[in-house]
Amino acid sequence: MRGDLTPQPTGDSHGNYLLWNGEIFGGLQVEENENDTALLLKNLSFKSDVEHILGSLSKIHGPWAFVYWQEETKTLWFGRDFFGRRSLCWYLPKTSTDPFILTSVRQNIEELVEVPSIGIYSMTLTQTDILDITVYSWFEAVWPGTMTSVTTGNLCQGLTGDSDCSVKFNLHPNLHLTRCIPSLNKCLPDLDPCKIQTEKPESVIDDLLHDAEFNSCVDKLTHLLLKSVTLRVFNQVMWNQTKNDHNNDLTGTSNSEVKTAQDNSRTDQSHPQPCRDSSEEASDARETVIQGNSKVAILFSGGVDSAVITALVDKCLPVHESVDLINVAFERNLPQKQRNLSAAEKWLVPDRQTGLMALQELNPARTWNFVMVNVGIAELQNLRSSHIRHLVYPLETVLDDSIGCAVWFAARGEGVLGNGEDAGKTYKSSAKVILCGMGADEQFAGYSRHRGKFEELGWQGLIDEVEMEVQRISARNLGRDDRVITDHGKEARFPFLDEDVVSYLQSLPVHIKADLRYPRGLGEKILLRACAVKLGLSKSALFPKRAIQFGSRIAKTENSKEKASEKCSRLADPT
C-alpha cells in the first residue's frame, strides 16, 4: 500500500525474513516514498537482542500483525497490535507430528483460533517434540474481554483453553511491550446521575460549547481526529502526487476519472433512486458499470461516527477528489401485504434514510458518490455459504455472521448510485482504503449496555464498563473485519483507534465523553456530537446509535428469534 511494491516475505542478506500486514503511522519515521515493510525489517535486523525487538514494536503507531524470522538466534517472532486491528490466527499442534500454523485466514481443515493480542510471542526452534513459546506481554496486560491480569498461573489456560496441545507457554516475568495508551481516567464527577429530559437536544450541545473547558476538548479531539484521518487518507500507493497538488493548492478535475462518476452531485437527491439488488444488476449485461476512481471510501451510515470521519476527509482532501460513501441495505423479509412496495421503498432501511439525510450536510463543492449496496436474500445466502463464512471463521456467532456479511458486501463496493445525474446506474468503487468508524462506541459509551450500567450503578458503573470495553476491543471484531475487507484487495483503516486519539480520550473524565443523564441520541458520544455540530453536521450529530446489523436490516432477516450471542448455524460447515 505504500512506497515501492515489496514482495513478502521480504528478506535481507543476513537471512532474516519478515511477513508484515500493517501500517506504520507513527513511532518509526517512514519517508514519503518509503515502504514500511522494508523499513521495519531493517530496524528489526539492526540488533538481535530481545529488548530491541520489544522496543521497536512498542513504538509503532498503527495496525499490525507480523511474523519475523530471526536467523542469528533461530527464533520465530509473531503477534498482533494492542487492538488486534489485523487478523492473525494459529493452530496449536496436538501431537509431535501436527503442524504449527500461523495464518491471516483459514487455509485448511485445521481448527484455528485468533491469536490473543496480549503481547508478542517468540519460539526458538529446537529438536524436541514440544514447542516452547515465550510470551512478552503488554505492560499490565489483561485478558481480552475481562479485567483479569495475564499471569504465569493463567497463561496456559488463557491461550489453549481446555484443548490439549504439544506447546509449552512461558510468560517472561520482566520484559514487556510498552503500553501504547495510558490507563483510563477514573475520576468520578460530582454530578447527580438522575435523568435530564430535554425537548431541544441541539440547545444542550450549544450550551456545552459555550463552556470554555468543554469547547477546548472538542477542538482538541477534532484536531487529533483530523490528523488521524489525514494519515490514513494519504499513506497509500499513487497518492504522493495528489498530496503535492494539495500542498500547492491546485484545483481542477481528475482526467483519469470516468466522467459519469466524476460529475455526480449531491444536489436534488433527498430520496433514494429506484434500484435493484446486486444480482439483478449483474444479470443485465447490457448496462455499463461506472468504474469509480475515488481513492478513499467510507462505510457511511449517516450516523455521527461516519459523518464526522467524512467531514474530516473533506478537510484534508483536495476538493477535486471524489469520495465514495458506501451504504449497505439488505432485502427486508416483508409481510405479504407489504410486498408491493416500490424498488426504492424495498431498500429504505434505517441506515439508508440517515445516510441520505447526512449527505445533504456535506460540502456541496465535492463529488460524493453515494453508493447504495443492495443485497437480496438469495445473494446473501449463496455468497455466505460459498465464501464469506470462511472469512468470518474462526468467529461463529449470529452477531459475527450479521456484521461480517454486512461489512463484506459494503467493502465490495458494488451498488447503485443514489445521487447526481447518474443516479440509478450501477457503480463499482475502486478505492483501496476504506475508512471505518469502529472503536467510537467503546470509547464514547455508545452501546445500550453502557446506559444499562449507568442506570444500575451510576457513574462508577459507566467508568468500569468503558474501561472494559476499551480493553476488549481486540477480542471482538477487528480481526474479522480485516479478513472480510482485505478479501477484496482493500484495507480497513480506523481513525478512532489512532493511538493519539485513544490516548487523549483515555485521559478525559468519562462525563466529558458521554453524559448518560441525557436521553438516547444525545447523551452517548456527547463530545463527538459536539464535534459534529462544529463541523456543520447539525442533523447527523443527533442521530441515535444504531448498529450496522440493525441499520442495514441484516439482523433478523432470516431468523427473527435468534440471539446475537448464539452460535450461528449458517456459518457452520455443511454436513
Side-chain angles (χ1 to χ4, degrees), residues 193-218:
C194 293
K195 292 183 179 179
I196 300 176
Q197 297 298 328
T198 178
E199 295 182 0
K200 294 184 177 181
E202 61 276 5
S203 66
V204 173
I205 292 180
D206 187 55
D207 290 343
L208 285 170
L209 289 173
H210 281 87
D211 179 271
E213 181 182 0
F214 185 86
N215 189 61
S216 174
C217 293
V218 171

Side-chain angles (χ1 to χ4, degrees), residues 78 228 276 485 549 560:
F78 59 94
S228 170
R276 299 142 300 169
I485 291 175
Q549 65 270 29
S560 61

Side-chain angles (χ1 to χ4, degrees), residues 484-501:
V484 298
I485 291 175
T486 306
D487 185 55
H488 298 289
K490 303 178 182 183
E491 185 172 89
R493 295 183 178 178
F494 309 104
F496 288 110
L497 291 176
D498 176 88
E499 282 78 0
D500 289 340
V501 171

Side-chain angles (χ1 to χ4, degrees), residues 205 207-224 504-505 507-508 512 527 530-531 534:
I205 292 180
D207 290 343
L208 285 170
L209 289 173
H210 281 87
D211 179 271
E213 181 182 0
F214 185 86
N215 189 61
S216 174
C217 293
V218 171
D219 290 342
K220 176 68 172 178
L221 176 59
T222 302
H223 169 75
L224 289 172
Y504 178 64
L505 290 174
S507 74
L508 293 177
I512 298 292
L527 180 63
C531 292
K534 292 193 75 170

Side-chain angles (χ1 to χ4, degrees), residues 343-478:
E345 292 173 319
K346 178 181 178 182
W347 304 107
L348 202 56
V349 300
D351 277 1
R352 183 64 45 82
Q353 298 177 59
T354 54
L356 287 162
M357 286 189 281
L359 183 64
Q360 303 307 307
E361 296 192 296
L362 301 179
N363 178 10
R366 182 179 302 283
T367 297
W368 304 102
N369 298 314
F370 189 78
V371 185
M372 302 188 297
V373 176
N374 302 313
V375 185
I377 293 177
E379 184 182 22
L380 167 63
Q381 293 173 339
N382 177 49
L383 284 170
R384 177 205 287 123
S385 175
S386 64
H387 192 73
I388 301 172
R389 65 185 181 88
H390 298 292
L391 302 168
V392 174
Y393 180 87
L395 304 186
E396 56 184 8
T397 69
V398 169
L399 182 66
D400 293 315
D401 172 49
S402 296
I403 300 179
C405 289
V407 173
W408 188 88
F409 280 104
R412 188 174 66 170
E414 296 179 4
V416 176
L417 282 171
N419 63 322
E421 64 181 38
D422 290 304
K425 292 185 179 179
T426 305
Y427 181 91
K428 182 172 177 58
S429 173
S430 63
K432 289 292 185 182
V433 164
I434 300 180
L435 299 181
C436 309
M438 286 75 164
D441 290 308
E442 288 81 359
Q443 299 180 80
F444 293 101
Y447 293 120
S448 59
R449 55 182 170 270
H450 288 115
R451 190 170 291 276
K453 287 291 184 181
F454 179 74
E455 292 174 352
E456 178 187 1
L457 300 170
W459 290 107
Q460 187 61 58
L462 177 60
I463 289 169
D464 292 342
E465 188 68 15
V466 169
E467 182 181 32
M468 189 171 75
E469 288 284 359
V470 173
Q471 291 285 359
R472 72 177 182 181
I473 287 175
S474 68
R476 302 202 62 213
N477 54 28
L478 297 178

